[in-house]
Amino acid sequence: MLLLFENNRWMEQKDTWTRWQRQLFRFVFVGVGLVLATFPIPRPYLPDLGKLLLPLTTALAKAVAVMVGVQQPYLDEIASDSKLMYVHLVLMLVLAVLGSSIWGWRDRRVVAYPKLQYVLLTGMRYFLAAAMLSYGFAKVFKTQFYLPEPNTLFTPLGEVPRDLLFWSTMGASHSYSVFTGLAEVLVGLLLLFRGSRLVGSLLGIALMVNVVALNLSYDISVKAYSTLLLLLAVLIAAPNLGRLWALICGRAVPASRLWAPTFTLRWQRLAFVASKTFVVCALLFDAVGTNFEQGNFNDDLAPRPAYHGAYQVTEFIANGDTSALDLRFAQRWRRVFVHRQGYLIVQYMDDHMRDYALEIDEQQGRLRLLVDVAQLEWNDLQFRAVGHHLAALSGVVEGDTLSMKLQALDWRALPLLRGEFNWTSDQM
């Protein structure tokens, strides 16, 4: 692409930017470039520069954190909404101020940056498009807001953390998840093309304002990332806001003064189309490749692990004593849940829960529970199964000899997961 820039005739920007416009652009260019290059974003297939730089950026963030006295504890590396993440972002802004100031001192005679503005807008468009496509298809295929797990469904409402409550509410509706996902996919596709970038950025602002509000209100740990995406949408729309205002006010809409590439040679046009097609296909593949690889196009219907589900403990014997299903026995196991991510979760009579990392040995008829993470101590429970459900457990867990009978619960028949729509209130 740089070769095309150098060897082609381009539309030249004839306007002179004001001093504050030049300085603001330099700051945004350096700041956005630093943040996008160093923000760690897990991607299934595309390279993640932020992850490659993570050892360096984490070391710098730790050094600054110690220097300014950030209070422990904090995570050992830069992660979503962690203290080190915020230290890192502030550090990038400081570097942006320094870098743009030095740049301005060296470029005192430059009157405008039309080509760099094009590069910046293009980079932001593709970064935001990649995020919107990824999140959008994750909602369409229900892999972001997944069906609530059985242990969540049997947790008293007041005991559910608000982020999990929001996640479960979204996950309970397949149609709304698909609707919001398609809206984000549309934004991503519009951003990929210069002619529709303004519409895409405006729709992106509308969507991301809502997302940021949800993340703040429900304490969801992607506040920094969602705010970054909202800022990118605003920056992409910003150069055309004057034209948009003229349209709203009924005045003549001036022609776009943004610098744009034009090609005179056929091979250059073909090279541009080919490279753009490759990038678009790469972004789409990164967004949906995992779904095709796993054959998962509706996570609600995806296979669950062995014995996944909810179980009522109908008989419970601890150290030789039988405990009735009675609230007086607070430590009696009330329900047992097998979580799809490899956990066995116990719900006691007082409704508090304890989770154990779980390994299932079907040949030996054994459940292995990690009871002490620090010491890597495992306890074993022998199990008896009837069909695809657990029927009985026995063994020693954290010093107690336990024996119990289980009855599988039909958690998918709970009211929250039954029927999404009624035309009339008479059917509700």
Side-chain angles (χ1 to χ4, degrees):
M1 292 300 294
L2 291 178
L3 178 62
L4 295 178
F5 286 176
E6 294 298 328
N7 294 339
N8 203 11
R9 295 181 184 177
W10 300 92
M11 292 172 55
E12 292 294 340
Q13 177 80 350
K14 300 301 182 183
D15 295 335
T16 299
W17 296 3
T18 64
R19 181 178 179 182
W20 74 266
Q21 286 176 321
R22 296 195 298 270
Q23 185 56 38
L24 179 61
F25 172 80
R26 288 189 288 258
F27 171 75
V28 171
F29 188 92
V30 176
V32 169
L34 286 172
V35 171
L36 298 191
T38 59
F39 208 105
I41 305 167
R43 297 193 183 280
Y45 305 102
L46 294 179
D48 179 6
L49 182 58
K51 185 176 181 180
L52 293 175
L53 295 174
L54 198 57
L56 173 61
T57 54
T58 297
L60 288 173
K62 283 182 178 179
V64 174
V66 172
M67 187 183 308
V68 300
V70 175
Q71 295 295 315
Q72 291 273 15
Y74 47 75
L75 297 177
D76 196 48
E77 68 175 17
I78 295 173
S80 181
D81 287 356
S82 65
K83 291 181 182 179
L84 288 184
M85 168 63 77
Y86 290 115
V87 170
H88 169 70
L89 292 176
V90 172
L91 179 59
M92 293 301 100
L93 291 179
V94 171
L95 292 177
V97 171
L98 294 175
S100 60
S101 298
I102 295 172
W103 181 5
W105 176 74
R106 292 181 59 88
D107 276 5
R108 291 186 298 273
R109 296 183 180 180
V110 177
V111 296
Y113 298 97
K115 296 181 180 180
L116 287 180
Q117 184 184 36
Y118 174 82
V119 171
L120 177 63
L121 287 172
T122 302
M124 292 191 299
R125 283 197 297 119
Y126 281 96
F127 186 96
L128 182 57
M132 300 305 286
L133 290 172
S134 177
Y135 277 107
F137 280 114
K139 291 179 179 69
V140 170
F141 298 139
K142 211 59 171 47
T143 54
Q144 181 182 8
F145 296 120
Y146 40 79
L147 204 65
E149 277 294 300
N151 61 291
T152 303
L153 294 168
F154 284 94
T155 301
L157 180 63
E159 299 290 334
V160 181
R162 65 176 57 194
D163 58 341
L164 181 57
L165 175 62
F166 173 74
W167 224 258
S168 300
T169 302
M170 290 291 293
S173 175
H174 181 262
S175 57
Y176 189 67
S177 180
V178 172
F179 171 76
T180 54
L182 290 175
E184 292 180 354
V185 169
L186 175 62
V187 170
L189 294 176
L190 290 172
L191 287 168
L192 291 174
F193 303 95
R194 196 167 64 245
S196 56
R197 67 183 171 196
L198 177 58
V199 176
S201 61
L202 293 175
L203 289 176
I205 291 172
L207 288 177
M208 291 311 304
V209 164
N210 182 57
V211 171
V212 170
L214 287 171
N215 291 341
L216 294 174
S217 302
Y218 284 88
D219 195 25
I220 299 171
S221 298
V222 282
K223 303 176 189 70
Y225 185 48
S226 59
T227 303
L228 171 63
L229 297 182
L230 173 59
L231 177 61
L232 292 180
V234 171
L235 291 174
I236 293 168
N240 283 300
L241 291 182
R243 301 175 66 231
L244 182 62
W245 182 250
L247 177 65
I248 294 173
C249 294
R251 299 197 298 263
V253 179
S256 175
R257 299 164 76 174
L258 291 173
W259 179 70
T262 57
F263 302 96
T264 56
L265 300 178
R266 185 170 181 271
W267 75 266
Q268 293 172 330
R269 293 192 295 272
L270 292 175
F272 179 81
V273 171
S275 57
K276 185 180 183 72
T277 302
F278 173 80
V279 172
V280 171
C281 290
L283 295 181
L284 290 172
F285 178 73
D286 192 66
V288 301
T290 302
N291 298 97
F292 281 91
E293 185 178 336
Q294 299 175 353
N296 182 9
F297 303 102
N298 180 358
D299 192 67
D300 288 355
L301 305 178
R304 272 28 179 191
Y307 311 116
H308 173 267
Y311 301 89
Q312 185 77 31
V313 180
T314 57
E315 181 182 290
F316 185 79
I317 303 173
N319 301 317
D321 294 328
T322 301
S323 299
L325 193 63
D326 194 314
L327 292 176
R328 291 174 299 175
F329 304 103
Q331 294 304 307
R332 182 196 190 277
W333 290 22
R334 183 177 185 177
R335 298 187 184 98
V336 173
F337 308 97
V338 177
H339 196 283
R340 68 184 296 187
Q341 294 181 347
Y343 290 93
L344 185 134
I345 302 170
V346 177
Q347 184 178 29
Y348 298 94
M349 290 303 298
D350 61 0
D351 282 330
H352 86 274
M353 296 194 183
R354 167 82 155 88
D355 60 272
Y356 302 91
L358 172 66
E359 292 182 356
I360 301 177
D361 186 342
E362 293 199 60
Q363 290 186 342
Q364 299 294 324
R366 181 175 61 186
L367 304 181
R368 302 199 67 220
L369 310 183
L370 182 60
V371 298
D372 190 327
V373 177
Q375 301 297 324
L376 292 179
E377 178 184 349
W378 295 79
N379 288 169
D380 293 344
L381 283 174
Q382 296 299 127
F383 72 84
R384 179 171 60 84
V386 176
H388 299 292
H389 303 294
L390 297 174
L393 297 175
S394 61
V396 178
V397 177
E398 299 190 82
D400 293 321
T401 301
L402 306 178
S403 177
M404 68 197 76
K405 293 181 180 178
L406 308 177
Q407 179 181 351
L409 298 172
D410 188 5
W411 58 276
R412 287 181 180 265
L414 290 171
L416 181 64
L417 304 184
R418 282 206 312 259
E420 292 194 35
F421 183 76
N422 295 295
W423 279 109
T424 67
S425 60
D426 308 273
Q427 299 170 266
M428 297 178 67

